[in-house]
Amino acid sequence: MNDNNLVLRDVIAGSDNIVFFGGAGVSTESGIPDFRSEDGIYNMKYAHPPETILSHTFFLRNTSEFYQFYRDKMLHPNAMPNKAHLALAELERRGKLKAIVTQNVDGLHHKAGSENVLELHGSRGRYYCLKCGKGYGMDVVLESEDIPYCACSGLIRPDVVLFQESLNQDVIERSIRAIREADVLIVGGTSLNVYPAAGMIQHYKGKMLVLINKSETSYDSYANLIIRDPIGETLDSAI
């Protein structure tokens, strides 16, 4: 264990008001590809850019093609929580971690046992009918060959924030409150380039900002501790 990891262990041991802010890099160790790395979804070749396919307009106008892409590339029903998810769940059980603010939609924090998870972009595990509002699980997409429809004949959509859509205001406010009130803010697995989510870090008023990311971020100059090691091993060794 290097010196920075030892410092993180001491930071965690000395605080009972920690908030974790995470991005796609938290789940890559579970086999879920991120978006912007060399092997990420944005660098795969499709008839349309992923940003276009995963937009509100494309979903309504090209629903069948949307679901073909979504089913092939966005669903990971067999993915399991990794060391990072499990470590964060353990910190919550110990009363140290007060909230997880995540940009991910894979639901792995919940699967690991975490309860206070603020999902900025929704969840791939939830779906609802646009006509009657009935809720569904992921099976409704996995078991449909094309477009999933409700029993009322309404179109079913994922409960995720698509491009061109706004984040849920209640989730935003709860996330900002948690970050503002935290003594320790640990940011992991994100380059902090996706807004408005990344802008929430500006609300942190504490004195211990920890960044765990393999590459540089736009907030490196503000961090009190920077760790470039894999996030799963880092968090697992720090609890």
Side-chain angles (χ1 to χ4, degrees), residues 226-238:
I226 298 175
I227 298 176
R228 299 293 186 210
D229 299 328
I231 189 168
E233 295 177 11
T234 298
L235 291 176
D236 182 60
S237 66

Side-chain angles (χ1 to χ4, degrees), residues 47-48 53 58 62-70 146-147:
H48 304 278
I53 299 174
F58 196 92
N62 307 85
T63 310
S64 180
E65 190 172 351
F66 170 92
Y67 266 115
Q68 181 180 352
F69 175 89
Y70 191 89
D146 193 14
I147 302 172

Side-chain angles (χ1 to χ4, degrees), residues 16-19 98 173-185 203-206:
D16 60 0
N17 186 10
I18 303 169
V19 168
K98 301 308 181 186
E173 292 175 0
R174 290 166 61 199
S175 299
I176 290 175
R177 187 181 311 118
I179 290 171
R180 183 187 296 125
E181 296 175 354
D183 290 335
V184 175
L185 178 61
H203 294 276
Y204 178 57
K205 304 299 182 182

Side-chain angles (χ1 to χ4, degrees), residues 57-231:
T57 299
F58 196 92
F59 171 74
L60 294 178
R61 294 179 179 176
N62 307 85
T63 310
S64 180
E65 190 172 351
F66 170 92
Y67 266 115
Q68 181 180 352
F69 175 89
Y70 191 89
R71 194 178 286 109
D72 289 346
K73 299 299 179 183
M74 299 299 293
L75 296 183
H76 304 276
N78 298 318
M80 297 300 294
N82 60 53
K83 290 181 179 180
H85 300 105
L86 296 173
L88 292 168
E90 176 60 24
L91 288 176
E92 184 183 64
R93 281 192 289 270
R94 295 182 189 178
K96 289 183 166 295
L97 185 72
K98 301 308 181 186
I100 293 172
V101 181
T102 180
Q103 300 174 80
N104 296 339
V105 296
D106 50 51
L108 291 181
H109 286 297
H110 283 297
K111 188 177 285 190
S114 294
E115 295 183 5
N116 191 20
V117 182
L118 299 167
E119 297 171 312
L120 294 173
H121 298 143
S123 173
R124 297 172 194 163
R126 298 190 302 266
Y127 300 80
Y128 63 93
C129 173
L130 289 175
K131 186 175 181 181
C132 72
K134 181 180 178 180
Y136 290 88
M138 188 185 295
D139 287 349
V140 73
V141 177
L142 294 174
E143 295 173 359
S144 63
E145 295 183 0
D146 193 14
I147 302 172
Y149 286 100
C150 180
C152 76
S153 76
L155 173 63
I156 293 173
R157 67 154 285 171
D159 189 9
V160 299
V161 179
L162 301 175
F163 287 98
Q164 303 171 338
E165 297 178 339
S166 300
L167 303 186
N168 180 283
Q169 190 60 36
D170 178 63
V171 176
I172 290 176
E173 292 175 0
R174 290 166 61 199
S175 299
I176 290 175
R177 187 181 311 118
I179 290 171
R180 183 187 296 125
E181 296 175 354
D183 290 335
V184 175
L185 178 61
I186 302 175
V187 179
T190 173
S191 59
L192 294 174
N193 288 327
V194 178
Y195 286 82
M200 293 181 181
I201 306 302
Q202 298 173 5
H203 294 276
Y204 178 57
K205 304 299 182 182
K207 297 181 179 179
M208 181 50 69
L209 173 60
V210 181
L211 296 182
I212 308 172
N213 201 56
K214 292 181 179 179
S215 58
E216 294 182 0
T217 79
S218 56
Y219 279 80
D220 280 11
S221 61
Y222 301 98
N224 304 99
L225 179 63
I226 298 175
I227 298 176
R228 299 293 186 210
D229 299 328
I231 189 168

